[in-house]
Amino acid sequence: MKDTAERKRIHARADNKGWKKWGPYLAERQWGTVREDYSYWGDSWGFISHELSRSYSYRWGEDGLGGISDNKGHICLAFGFWNHQDPIIKERFYGVTGPEGNHGEDVKELYYYLDSTPTHSYMKMLYKYPQVAFPYAKLAEENRKRNRLQPEYEIVDTGIFNDNRYFDIFIEYAKADENDILIKITAHNRYTEDAPLTILPTLWFRNTWSWGYDQFNYKPILNGIANRQIEVNHRLLGKYKLFLEGADELLFCENETNSERIFGKPNANPYAKDGINNYVVTGKKQYVNPNQIGSKAAGHFKKVVPAGESVSIRLRFSNQTNQTNAFSDFDEIFKLRQDEADEFYDDLQQNVTDPELRTIQRQAFAGMLWNKQFFYYNINEWLKGDPKMPFEFKGRAYPRNLTWKHMYTANILSMPDKWEYPWFAAWDLAFHTVTLSRLDPYFAKRQLAVILREYYMHPNGQLPAYEWNFSDVNPPVHAWATWKVYEIDRELNGIGDVAFLERIFHKLLLNFTWWVNRKDAEGNNIFAGGFLGLDNIGVFDRSAELPTGGHLEQADGTGWMAMYTLNMLRIACEISLVRPVYQDMASKFFEHFLHITAAMKSLGDQKISLWDEEDQFYYDVLHTPDGKSKLLKVRSMVGLIPLFAVEILDEELLTKLPDFKRRVEWVLNNRPDLASLISRWHEPGKGESHLLALLRGHRMKMLLKRMFDETEFLSAYGIRALSKYHDEHPYEFFVNGEVLRVKYTPAESDSSIFGGNSNWRGPIWFPLNFLIIDSLLKFYNYYGDDYEIEYPTNSGNVMTVKEAAVSLAERLISIFRRDKQDNVPVYTGNELFQEDPHFKDLYLFYEYFNGDTGAGLGAAHQTGWTGLVADLIEHTSVHKIKYGSLPTSVETTPE
């Protein structure tokens, strides 16, 4: 990698300070979260709604439109807009709540993350703001009417964008220095008539002074100076100024709850949080402080945007408070940072020559970086309530996360989607780090370190799953992510960070032990786990009490744990090259893997295997209280996960680890029952390597045959979560006089087993597809070109495993590429997004995708794990450079 200006800033320090101190760390939605819920019955969606959010001072974080904050969320800056038609100013994005949406919560706005460097030295996003009254009521009403089988009612369905009567508002940031930030807002009028637009750059302090804690017994102050400057005084962060070029006036109020509106109680201060909103939409000055002082302030810019033209405003937020002309070097610095961003990405994308792919990849990277958020949550304080509350706190009938009182988070974390999922999810975050490591390996490594810290991880070793239920169980993918991040970091920097591996390894040991102790019910090396991320994919909710009684032994839980052991084995081997004592740990995980492999082959006295010889597929096994066992024959991603348990150990590595090699050979010589489970250990593969894998020979061939069958798992756009076989052959399970059915649905689930927006019935989702590709490439590294398969099944095309992996990657990438009909599959059925020049080159990275059409579904900004498309673009581009073309089957246009 070139030593570009941005690369130097990345290397300057590993933490979230310096050039990364300020970034897009505001949530897109703080209301409707578990953290802000102080209701007795735990009504997280109802306690603070979107309607109340403008008047209620949050406790645990802040939200804002296109905003930034410092790395602890003390000082926040974001934007309000008013089209002179809405009853409120647009300060935050609107969406329907979980109970309102027919598929759960859903943002109902159009916004796009267009660009960002890893240090946020340059950032750009776009918000599309209607010029007519925003259809709040219509969106809520229509979504409430619809059932689970109907599509969601989106903002484009209202027709509000059909005649181009909207503003394209671009928000850009360019840092002059670590604490000196230039900001530009450019609003384009896409309509044929002039239109008024009020722009409100807003600065405020996160409220820490209202809750009654001694360490926050002071209130920071904002002061207005000459209608062009807002002075910031904060005891922890020092002095700053916001310079506002050409502001019409400055408006001040307090970031304090409007108790009169929310609780029917008198306000302690007449200028409450919603004061600026109330003044702008009514014109009544009683709502803002005439003395121009407060804890929330905005510059008031009144503009008329000519038809087809644009207006801009310029701001500068800086700790250089004595500047006499804050805008003299503004344009020069802005251009420099834009050029540096281009230089950084030109270097990063040197293997990606296709202009369309470069655009997709850069916007995917931008989404990853914009989805960083300051996440603050002290569960012990949250459970008890604060010394001072704006209302009578009556406690909680069913205290959520009660067993996680040790948990105290106050970090910058990578979010799945800062509106729909404005809280970390442990296994999502693991996938995020893979893509983030290409941008900023320090940040990626820090994310993994943070989630495994003692104030996150439970004392028993469990990782917190997600805010709604930290005790739920996510797949154990963090060892895999740790190794991937290590490899990418080594690729970029030329040296492996073994200290990072060792630090993470110790914490992973605790988590691995938790899995062994808690999720292996019979002590036979077969694992359950429950949810494991696969919502709605089975006959019943695997995290709940089974309707039959008894317990499950899960093909995916066991497959994940086999993968976990091999990941830990590989990490231990790498550390052993520097610290030979870790060879003992490598031996431990080698033997543990063999025992899991043996258990999957034959279970207990009944000899019931998770592998079904009749169907040639892996299934869950249900053990009922009467001592009977039954395979649950649902052909789903559950049965593909054993594919992920694969690792290659080359002879050169083993030679460097003599103690480990000696132990391996002892096991193979003295435990023939275990030795027989390892594929051709004494017949090295390509490059003198040895294969450790759950799948071998015939079973691997049969599983790949089913996975690559276009009438089953293989879609034109990736691997489906559920086999299409179940479209015409639904799986039925009879219990307590009821028939439970699993039927293939390519989009949203028709089942409400898991509720909310958990819709994994048949769609394509990137994380498991990425793991499939990663595993196939490992198999290729062992077998080489000698191992060929038919891809797709029954097509007559024969290719290597690597070519199949690359072809699968291309199918996933094609979701975002224009096809021969000039349509982008992700926007199937949406002509506006396909054809309009102001939409067609903008990308939304959805949570999952229709298994038949590739259309985007679920959270619209979940670049987190869908951001993996950036890595797939890199891999396929390198393959094309090396081999000159992609596998033949990729060139055909999917039907």
Side-chain angles (χ1 to χ4, degrees):
M1 306 299 291
K2 291 181 181 177
D3 199 17
T4 62
E6 177 62 16
R7 186 70 59 187
K8 289 177 181 177
R9 289 190 283 264
I10 294 169
H11 289 311
R13 59 189 304 162
D15 58 14
N16 291 314
K17 297 178 182 178
W19 277 86
K20 287 182 278 189
K21 178 179 177 179
W22 296 90
Y25 307 144
L26 289 177
E28 303 291 9
R29 174 177 62 82
Q30 184 70 12
W31 60 272
T33 61
V34 169
R35 279 160 291 152
E36 299 297 341
D37 176 21
Y38 283 84
S39 65
Y40 182 71
W41 296 108
D43 181 13
S44 298
W45 284 112
F47 185 70
I48 304 175
S49 63
H50 177 269
E51 173 61 23
L52 297 179
S53 62
R54 67 179 181 274
S55 304
Y56 186 90
S57 179
Y58 301 128
R59 170 65 176 87
W60 296 102
E62 294 290 342
D63 57 20
L65 197 157
I68 62 171
S69 78
D70 65 275
N71 62 349
K72 294 299 179 182
H74 289 295
I75 300 176
C76 308
L77 189 153
F79 298 90
F81 303 102
W82 188 46
N83 58 14
H84 295 245
Q85 300 294 321
D86 287 341
I88 59 173
I89 63 175
K90 179 68 67 175
E91 291 181 279
R92 56 189 55 82
F93 293 128
Y94 170 75
V96 294
T97 68
E100 287 176 327
N102 58 326
H103 300 135
E105 62 268 32
D106 186 30
V107 67
K108 301 299 182 183
E109 306 267 13
L110 290 181
Y111 57 99
Y112 304 84
Y113 302 128
L114 300 179
D115 210 358
S116 181
T117 58
T119 66
H120 312 295
S121 58
Y122 177 72
M123 297 195 301
K124 184 178 184 179
M125 72 167 288
L126 167 64
Y127 172 51
K128 290 181 177 287
Y129 184 35
Q131 293 175 11
V132 298
F134 194 88
Y136 292 105
K138 187 174 184 180
L139 286 165
E141 290 168 7
E142 287 296 325
N143 277 279
R144 274 194 292 262
K145 288 178 186 176
R146 299 194 175 196
N147 62 38
R148 181 172 289 276
L149 300 179
Q150 295 175 295
E152 296 161 11
Y153 186 72
E154 306 291 6
I155 189 169
V156 293
D157 298 325
T158 67
I160 205 167
F161 294 102
N162 288 355
D163 59 358
N164 292 327
R165 197 169 184 176
Y166 66 91
F167 299 106
D168 267 340
I169 302 176
F170 292 90
I171 302 171
E172 293 178 271
Y173 297 89
K175 293 181 182 179
D177 207 338
E178 294 178 359
N179 298 290
D180 190 358
I181 306 166
L182 313 182
I183 306 158
K184 181 164 61 176
I185 307 298
T186 306
H188 294 262
N189 182 357
R190 301 303 186 194
Y191 194 49
T192 56
E193 297 178 7
D194 299 353
L197 176 66
T198 292
I199 303 173
L200 297 153
T202 307
L203 188 66
W204 73 99
F205 300 116
R206 176 164 58 87
N207 190 323
T208 57
W209 58 88
S210 293
W211 316 115
Y213 293 99
D214 291 340
Q215 66 267 39
F216 295 113
N217 61 359
Y218 72 100
K219 180 178 176 180
I221 297 294
L222 299 171
N223 291 290
I225 303 174
N227 275 350
R228 294 292 187 274
Q229 299 177 20
I230 299 174
E231 186 178 62
V232 180
N233 287 280
H234 194 283
R235 191 165 76 182
L236 295 178
L237 278 77
K239 289 189 176 184
Y240 287 80
K241 274 188 181 178
L242 177 62
F243 300 91
L244 306 102
E245 185 181 50
D248 293 296
E249 61 180 331
L250 302 181
L251 308 174
F252 288 77
C253 62
E254 301 293 342
N255 184 22
E256 296 180 359
T257 298
N258 184 338
S259 296
E260 185 175 319
R261 179 171 187 252
I262 302 292
F263 304 115
K265 297 179 179 180
N267 284 322
N269 190 302
Y271 312 113
K273 178 182 176 180
D274 52 13
I276 293 172
N277 171 85
N278 295 344
Y279 167 70
V280 170
V281 299
T282 68
K284 296 178 180 179
K285 293 187 176 182
Q286 68 198 52
Y287 296 110
V288 292
N289 192 331
N291 296 318
Q292 295 200 336
I293 189 170
S295 51
K296 178 180 178 182
H300 193 186
F301 292 82
K302 305 171 187 176
K303 300 292 183 181
V304 174
V305 189
E309 297 185 26
S310 66
V311 299
S312 295
I313 68 168
R314 302 193 303 178
L315 314 166
R316 187 166 192 160
F317 179 71
S318 177
N319 65 349
Q320 305 299 312
T321 57
N322 295 322
Q323 299 184 59
T324 56
N325 187 348
F327 301 96
S328 61
D329 55 356
F330 187 97
D331 294 338
E332 178 185 348
I333 293 172
F334 234 94
K335 185 176 187 310
L336 177 62
R337 294 295 178 256
Q338 289 172 323
D339 290 344
E340 289 172 350
D342 290 341
E343 179 189 37
F344 172 78
Y345 281 109
D346 283 344
D347 182 47
L348 191 66
Q349 296 181 302
Q350 58 187 285
N351 296 318
V352 184
T353 57
D354 186 306
E356 183 184 29
L357 291 180
R358 287 173 71 93
T359 300
I360 295 166
Q361 188 185 52
R362 188 156 171 176
Q363 287 188 31
F365 283 141
M368 293 295 306
L369 294 168
W370 273 91
N371 267 325
K372 294 181 183 180
Q373 182 186 313
F374 173 66
F375 186 85
Y376 180 40
Y377 193 14
N378 180 330
I379 295 184
N380 190 43
E381 287 184 359
W382 180 80
L383 287 167
K384 294 187 300 184
D386 297 312
K388 289 173 62 178
M389 301 286 284
F391 54 90
E392 183 184 357
F393 178 54
K394 299 180 180 179
R396 306 176 189 279
Y398 307 104
R400 199 184 297 274
N401 298 319
L402 182 62
T403 61
W404 292 80
K405 292 180 182 179
H406 71 284
M407 195 164 170
Y408 186 167
T409 71
N411 301 98
I412 303 298
L413 295 175
S414 178
M415 298 292 131
D417 179 320
K418 289 199 298 184
W419 197 96
E420 300 207 23
Y421 300 97
W423 27 262
F424 79 91
W427 85 302
D428 297 56
L429 187 143
F431 291 106
H432 300 181
T433 61
V434 175
T435 305
L436 286 166
S437 61
R438 293 199 176 274
L439 296 160
D440 181 355
Y442 302 106
F443 182 74
K445 289 186 287 186
R446 189 175 177 84
Q447 291 292 283
L448 289 166
V450 164
I451 201 71
L452 290 162
R453 283 180 180 170
E454 57 277 8
Y455 45 87
Y456 280 70
M457 179 186 282
H458 197 280
N460 65 19
Q462 183 179 10
L463 290 182
Y466 47 89
E467 185 175 289
W468 291 85
N469 184 5
F470 285 129
S471 293
D472 214 333
V473 183
N474 284 169
V477 292
H478 297 82
W480 171 83
T482 297
W483 180 250
K484 294 296 291 185
V485 168
Y486 174 82
E487 286 188 306
I488 294 170
D489 182 33
R490 182 174 58 186
E491 172 192 330
L492 294 176
N493 295 318
I495 186 170
D497 187 351
V498 177
F500 157 72
L501 279 186
E502 188 174 10
R503 178 185 184 187
I504 299 296
F505 184 82
H506 284 281
K507 296 298 182 68
L508 289 171
L509 270 178
L510 298 176
N511 180 245
F512 185 89
T513 303
W514 176 84
W515 272 90
V516 171
N517 290 337
R518 297 297 182 95
K519 295 301 177 182
D520 180 5
E522 302 297 319
N524 58 13
N525 290 299
I526 294 294
F527 294 83
F531 162 53
L532 290 180
L534 299 174
D535 322 18
N536 277 332
I537 207 168
V539 184
F540 31 69
D541 179 357
R542 300 186 301 173
S543 290
E545 185 176 339
L546 301 178
T548 59
H551 69 277
L552 280 177
E553 290 177 324
Q554 297 177 208
D556 56 337
T558 308
W560 286 122
M561 283 302 290
M563 171 184 164
Y564 200 170
T565 59
L566 291 180
N567 298 148
M568 293 293 278
L569 165 61
R570 188 63 189 87
I571 293 171
C573 286
E574 190 74 6
I575 301 172
S576 295
L577 295 173
V578 178
R579 302 279 299 276
V581 69
Y582 278 82
Q583 291 178 81
D584 288 346
M585 297 309 301
S587 300
K588 175 258 188 296
F589 284 108
F590 173 76
E591 295 186 38
H592 204 132
F593 170 74
L594 294 183
H595 288 297
I596 292 176
T597 305
M600 284 196 77
K601 184 178 180 182
S602 181
L603 303 182
D605 296 333
Q606 299 181 53
K607 304 296 182 185
I608 294 185
S609 172
L610 299 180
W611 175 264
D612 182 55
E613 286 294 342
E614 180 182 1
D615 289 356
Q616 301 287 296
F617 201 67
Y618 283 108
Y619 298 117
D620 287 348
V621 174
L622 173 65
H623 297 280
T624 51
D626 59 5
K628 295 181 179 179
S629 301
K630 177 183 177 65
L631 286 169
L632 299 177
K633 294 191 175 186
V634 180
R635 296 182 192 172
S636 75
M637 190 67 78
V638 164
L640 301 181
I641 286 170
L643 179 72
F644 303 162
V646 54
E647 190 52 70
I648 311 299
L649 298 178
D650 62 59
E651 192 64 29
E652 181 182 356
L653 174 66
L654 291 173
T655 301
K656 294 177 181 178
L657 305 175
D659 293 344
F660 172 57
K661 183 178 182 181
R662 188 162 47 250
R663 180 61 185 171
V664 168
E665 291 175 345
W666 186 94
V667 171
L668 297 180
N669 291 330
N670 291 277
R671 290 294 303 272
D673 57 322
L674 297 179
S676 65
L677 301 171
I678 302 178
S679 294
R680 303 190 299 171
W681 181 266
H682 294 293
E683 301 176 37
K686 190 181 75 169
E688 296 295 299
S689 58
H690 300 282
L691 176 71
L692 295 171
L694 276 182
L695 285 172
R696 304 186 301 138
H698 173 71
R699 287 190 181 183
M700 181 178 172
K701 287 271 190 183
M702 296 309 297
L703 189 140
L704 294 183
K705 181 178 180 180
R706 192 176 296 283
M707 184 172 75
F708 289 141
D709 188 335
E710 292 180 308
T711 67
E712 290 221 31
F713 285 100
L714 184 62
S715 159
Y717 306 102
I719 300 298
R720 302 176 174 101
L722 187 71
S723 171
K724 200 169 183 178
Y725 169 82
H726 290 303
D727 186 16
E728 296 184 4
H729 307 89
Y731 178 79
E732 295 185 341
F733 185 84
F734 298 87
V735 58
N736 301 327
E738 183 182 3
V739 180
L740 304 178
R741 301 173 77 247
V742 175
K743 187 179 189 300
Y744 169 77
T745 59
E748 280 83 4
S749 172
D750 59 359
S751 167
S752 59
I753 289 174
F754 220 82
N757 56 6
S758 300
N759 299 306
W760 310 119
R761 200 52 132 190
I764 293 157
W765 44 321
F766 267 73
L768 292 192
N769 272 267
F770 190 87
L771 282 170
I772 288 169
I773 292 167
D774 189 56
S775 300
L776 291 175
L777 292 176
K778 286 183 180 179
F779 278 111
Y780 175 78
N781 286 339
Y782 177 76
Y783 288 113
D785 294 335
D786 295 337
Y787 191 99
E788 294 183 320
I789 60 172
E790 187 180 28
Y791 176 92
T793 302
N794 300 321
S795 68
N797 293 328
V798 177
M799 60 180 65
T800 67
V801 173
K802 181 177 184 179
E803 289 173 324
V806 172
S807 180
L808 177 57
E810 278 291 302
R811 289 183 181 230
L812 290 156
I813 295 168
S814 73
I815 290 172
F816 299 99
R817 299 201 69 173
R818 294 199 168 274
D819 59 24
K820 292 181 179 179
Q821 288 72 44
D822 200 36
N823 291 321
V824 183
V826 68
Y827 294 138
T828 298
N830 192 322
E831 292 184 11
L832 180 68
F833 288 8
Q834 298 278 16
E835 301 173 2
D836 190 287
H838 300 303
F839 283 87
K840 64 185 301 184
D841 295 322
L842 304 172
Y843 296 97
L844 293 172
F845 298 90
Y846 289 86
E847 185 178 0
Y848 51 99
F849 303 86
N850 185 297
D852 294 340
T853 69
L857 302 163
H861 301 83
Q862 191 152 337
T863 321
W865 61 27
T866 302
L868 290 164
V869 70
D871 286 74
L872 297 180
I873 289 171
E874 171 70 15
H875 291 315
T876 55
S877 297
V878 169
H879 184 275
K880 195 166 186 177
I881 290 170
K882 189 173 182 179
Y883 297 101
S885 65
L886 294 166
T888 304
S889 64
V890 177
E891 305 298 337
T892 60
T893 301
E895 295 182 3

